[in-house]
Amino acid sequence: MDRYPALMQDYGLTVDRFLDHGAKWHGRARVVTAGEGGNDTTTGYADVRERANRLSGALLSLGLQPGDRIATLAWNTRHHVEVWYAAMGVGLVCHTLNPRLTVDQLAAMIVQAEDRLLVVGAGLGELTDQLVARCPHLERLIVLDDDDWASQSALPTMGLENLLASAGRPVPWGQIDERALAGLCFTSGTTGAPKGVGYTHRSNYLHTLRALQADAMALTAEDMVLVAVPMFHANAWGLPFAAPAVGASLVLPGRAMDGASLGGLIARHAVTVAVGVPTIWLGLLDHLDATGAETPSLERVIIGGSSCPDALLKRMESRLGVTVQTSWGMTELSPLGTISPRNQAGGSARGAGRPPMGLDLLLTDAAGEPLPEQRNTEGHLKIRGASVVQSYYGASQPALDADGWFDTGDLAMIDHDGNLHLAGRSKDLIKSGGEWINPVEIEEIVGALPSIGLVAVIGQTDAKWGERPLMVIEAAQGEVVEDAELKASLKGRVADWWIPERIVRVEAMPLAATGKINKTQLRATYGGA
Amino acid sequence: MDRYPALMQDYGLTVDRFLDHGAKWHGRARVVTAGEGGNDTTTGYADVRERANRLSGALLSLGLQPGDRIATLAWNTRHHVEVWYAAMGVGLVCHTLNPRLTVDQLAAMIVQAEDRLLVVGAGLGELTDQLVARCPHLERLIVLDDDDWASQSALPTMGLENLLASAGRPVPWGQIDERALAGLCFTSGTTGAPKGVGYTHRSNYLHTLRALQADAMALTAEDMVLVAVPMFHANAWGLPFAAPAVGASLVLPGRAMDGASLGGLIARHAVTVAVGVPTIWLGLLDHLDATGAETPSLERVIIGGSSCPDALLKRMESRLGVTVQTSWGMTELSPLGTISPRNQAGGSARGAGRPPMGLDLLLTDAAGEPLPEQRNTEGHLKIRGASVVQSYYGASQPALDADGWFDTGDLAMIDHDGNLHLAGRSKDLIKSGGEWINPVEIEEIVGALPSIGLVAVIGQTDAKWGERPLMVIEAAQGEVVEDAELKASLKGRVADWWIPERIVRVEAMPLAATGKINKTQLRATYGGA
């Protein structure tokens, strides 16, 4: 006998299997895409699969080869999902682009990825023209929802329906090595050049099974899942894979992610689980409070992407009547890193939950040495496991340390029960007189003042101390706040030498495309002596 | 760039990772082993891991090499779990044996597997001696719980604790190809020679993630899981892997699986989920009814192994106050094939549930041709997917058809929602006058009579018809039942020509080691003309 005889069936871990499964075993599940004025469209996985599979044939007929990259610049719609599966099912690599990035950023990504095709969603004609001008290697445009298409581009352009009608033909899916690339997503680039994370079929498959655990996203065939996280953010946290895998229904909001639009979708489709960043739910809460509308079907909200203030958590739980599951992730993790289970009480006590099976966390000191005590001590957070980046796209060197750990750039504490508590970004630490100041601790105290809209603390070069903290303030609307009051709020709550001497007021805090405060820009403006 | 550049981390799917994860991230989880008179022992995954890892070193010190098989003949205890992980963590193959099989059967399995070591649990000294006499190639015995050890064997014998104390040393786990064998389990052999199913690390890993889905076993870190399915039955349905993977606590009943013992364990340890075959729960119900005891902590019971009468299902749900999840599996499927979700109403309407992601079902005619209509039609059930057997251990030919499907030997219907409804075994079908009779339909009607204990219908050779059905009856205690009454019960409910002319009464129905009626033996006795 062989050393490794093939006693169990060969079963490749490829993502096309998720849609196959949903189509065959979950005929009741729905795929809803939001439309103008509540004119949503509803279909099922069998229909999505049939179209996606014929679209695979159409893509191959355009001369695309397995391994080729195609870019998508689009919102969360069934057509975008169809393009994903059409591409991945025959070994093409789906490169998702965030329409809210700058033309410069997007063009750099398209050039680096050598995308052959650009697939564009509704209302993005102008941006597309600018990108086409900057990316002469692009061969073709495919327009997903061409009713309102307006473009000056001379590039060969075809609507999705025309392409399907003219060249669509069923082709076999899944004849793909599970370690081949399925997707490509560049990090948002708030710090330095964007870096591409290449997802393989295998990494996506394992991420999906991890996310489906009962203490993680726990989707079931009874769930209606509102995907309020864009497909260009780390695969919409994997939901277009996870939902068909278990027959959960997908509710795709398209472009409109305001509170009224999401509230309407939740009500019309009896959404049970909603997934997205905290600011999205702030918009929903404001809408509900303003209109008196309710969301009785909603059972759970899964948040991530940035830390969520306790006050917002509590407001969500009481106003929406839901369990809020907090999570932590990164593009580099596919993206789920940790998540708190649905059956645990909310609030800051639980932090961002535990890593599901397949991931391992390590805390180190600034030099990368593991902390001798891994619990209840703050350190630099490293991670390793399935679906964690090894090398960035096109990089010649791995992104890991010698022991295989990926440095997340986060500062964190892990409590006795294994829950992760984030404590800021290591690059945001300020070294003053040889000692570290963590700006997050200052920001949390000042940010809780009613008079403050947004606050950021950065390091400013200082001749005597190396760096000193500088506080940038955007006051709440109509509010004025004195330096003395700000400093007084910190007195006794942080060390005296942490309290910033210099305070700057801005009309509008600079934000990155992801909605996070752009500290890179603040440092460029205020970081010098 | 490479065609498949290593952009995501290499992460081998090996089972040692489950215990690693439980030990590091789930310090609160418990591993309970039942003891005499309620003297249970309780520990945690970190302790089990530490001992199992040192035991790996001890096993290697005995000269064992990766790929070697070691047999275990033992009940569900923490020590048995430790031996599993100790063996699998360093690439040894854990061959589980069912102490309720005959010496002949067990010896044939040990010889075919070429097991080098036999690990034995409590109270099995006499059986061990018989096996040692039949298997001269065995090199050594390891005794798990040696308080009551009694053996005449001349084979080198060592207690687990002595082995750990004398040769235990930590060794690295997981330097194993994920396609290497981790386990070996022979089918029960009620029909013909036992066949070995070899589980790989990869197949077990994928099975575990599949079983953990929210619509499948849905274990959480809050669960206390009573493993009332033996570890020698298809890896105890994967629970010793699934529980540490999510930090669920394990409650291991040891040898005593009677109602009183299980009821006591459930009460003492606040068990939330209990897993085992229907007859086990019948024993529990009888105990509770007799004593008035209650099991308030119990939320769910997961059953499988054989179909469950509706009356028993309803009795479980009402008396235990639980949700019953029905399932269908086979040793060849690792073993989970289909399962009904916890949130669906019970009873025969749901059948045995749907296949989780990673499995696919096909219905064919007797010649193996796919039925044109796959829903609401009865056919021969085939399956393919991850964690499904490809070839039996040592077999020169795959166990699959040309399209990669494994014939389960079951007859089944799949309803509109994808739920599987089993309809008997294809080999039990009786061909009479060129037409098929399904004995299960007769057995269900007659078996529902209060005067009947057990009933089996087999084919008997017949000169005119080829075969005719013959009914074997074991009356309920103290009951007498006339042939006319039996035939009358069938009149109008099955075709007249299905009704057996010949009826045989037995004192005790022959049962296989799994508790199922041994039709092979019935055919040998009564099948001739």
Side-chain angles (χ1 to χ4, degrees), chain A residues 383-406:
Chain A
I383 188 166
R384 69 180 174 193
S387 322
V388 177
V389 70
Q390 161 131 333
S391 300
Y392 288 104
Y393 190 76
S396 55
Q397 294 297 319
L400 311 182
D401 71 15
D403 295 321
W405 293 95
F406 172 72

Side-chain angles (χ1 to χ4, degrees), chain A residues 7 28 375 388 390 417, chain B residues 7 9 24 28 390 417:
Chain A
L7 296 192
R28 285 176 187 262
R375 298 297 161 98
V388 177
Q390 161 131 333
D417 285 333
Chain B
L7 297 193
Q9 289 191 20
K24 180 162 181 182
R28 282 176 189 263
Q390 160 130 333
D417 285 333

Side-chain angles (χ1 to χ4, degrees), chain A residues 4 6-11 24 28 178 180 198 202 215 220-222 343 360-361 375 385 388 390 417, chain B residues 4 6-9 11 24 28 178-180 198 202 215 220-222 343 360-361 375 385 387-388 390 417:
Chain A
Y4 303 133
L7 296 192
M8 301 306 281
Q9 289 191 20
D10 196 22
Y11 173 94
K24 179 161 181 183
R28 285 176 187 262
E178 67 186 37
R202 178 180 165 108
D215 271 344
T220 77
E222 303 295 308
N343 57 0
D360 196 14
L361 307 179
R375 298 297 161 98
V388 177
Q390 161 131 333
D417 285 333
Chain B
Y4 303 133
L7 297 193
M8 299 306 280
Q9 289 191 20
Y11 174 94
K24 180 162 181 182
R28 282 176 189 263
E178 68 186 36
R179 293 177 194 269
R202 178 179 164 108
D215 271 344
T220 76
E222 303 296 307
N343 56 0
D360 196 14
L361 306 180
R375 298 295 162 99
S387 323
V388 177
Q390 160 130 333
D417 285 333

Side-chain angles (χ1 to χ4, degrees), chain A residues 223-254:
Chain A
D223 279 320
M224 294 289 297
V225 185
L226 173 61
V227 187
V229 55
M231 289 168 68
F232 47 78
H233 276 172
N235 295 328
W237 300 359
L239 292 166
F241 302 129
V246 294
S249 295
L250 279 175
V251 180
L252 303 166

Side-chain angles (χ1 to χ4, degrees), chain A residues 287-367:
Chain A
H287 163 74
L288 296 179
D289 283 350
T291 61
E294 298 290 340
T295 55
S297 62
L298 202 58
E299 298 165 8
R300 286 190 288 149
V301 176
I302 301 173
I303 58 173
S306 61
S307 65
C308 184
D310 257 11
L312 177 54
L313 266 180
K314 289 195 171 62
R315 193 173 158 210
M316 290 171 71
E317 290 178 331
S318 64
R319 180 64 178 86
L320 300 174
V322 298
T323 302
V324 179
Q325 290 181 258
T326 50
S327 72
W328 162 76
M330 299 177 73
T331 302
E332 286 90 338
L333 314 185
S334 301
L336 184 61
T338 63
I339 187 166
S340 67
R342 66 189 302 178
N343 57 0
Q344 285 193 4
S348 58
R350 65 184 161 189
R354 278 184 289 238
M357 181 66 219
L359 293 174
D360 196 14
L361 307 179
L362 180 73
L363 296 177
T364 72
D365 62 21

Side-chain angles (χ1 to χ4, degrees), chain B residues 331-401:
Chain B
T331 303
E332 287 89 339
L333 314 185
S334 301
L336 186 62
T338 63
I339 187 166
S340 67
R342 66 187 303 178
N343 56 0
Q344 286 193 5
S348 58
R350 66 184 159 187
R354 280 185 288 239
M357 180 67 220
L359 292 173
D360 196 14
L361 306 180
L362 180 74
L363 295 178
T364 73
D365 62 21
E369 284 302 306
L371 298 182
E373 182 50 68
Q374 289 285 310
R375 298 295 162 99
N376 299 315
T377 318
E378 196 173 300
H380 296 252
L381 180 64
K382 296 187 174 185
I383 188 165
R384 68 180 174 194
S387 323
V388 177
V389 72
Q390 160 130 333
S391 300
Y392 288 104
Y393 190 77
S396 56
Q397 295 295 320
L400 312 181
D401 71 16

Side-chain angles (χ1 to χ4, degrees), chain B residues 26 55 63 68 73 80 105 109 148 153 165 187 255-256 286 317 355 357 425 445-446 459:
Chain B
H26 295 283
L55 185 57
D68 283 351
L73 184 75
H80 197 178
Q105 289 170 318
M109 294 170 182
D148 66 346
S153 169
T187 59
R255 182 172 197 164
D286 288 346
E317 290 178 331
M357 180 67 220
R425 297 284 296 167
I445 293 166
V446 173

Side-chain angles (χ1 to χ4, degrees), chain A residues 18 23 44 73 97 130 149 167 186 209 230 258 263 281 304 327 332 371 386 402 407 444 489-491 499 503 506 527:
Chain A
F18 296 132
L73 184 74
L97 294 167
Q130 293 175 286
W149 183 245
F186 283 79
L209 291 188
D258 58 286
W281 309 120
S327 72
E332 286 90 338
L371 297 182
D407 187 347
E444 282 181 353
S489 74
L490 293 165
K491 187 78 183 172
I499 299 177
I503 298 171
V506 295

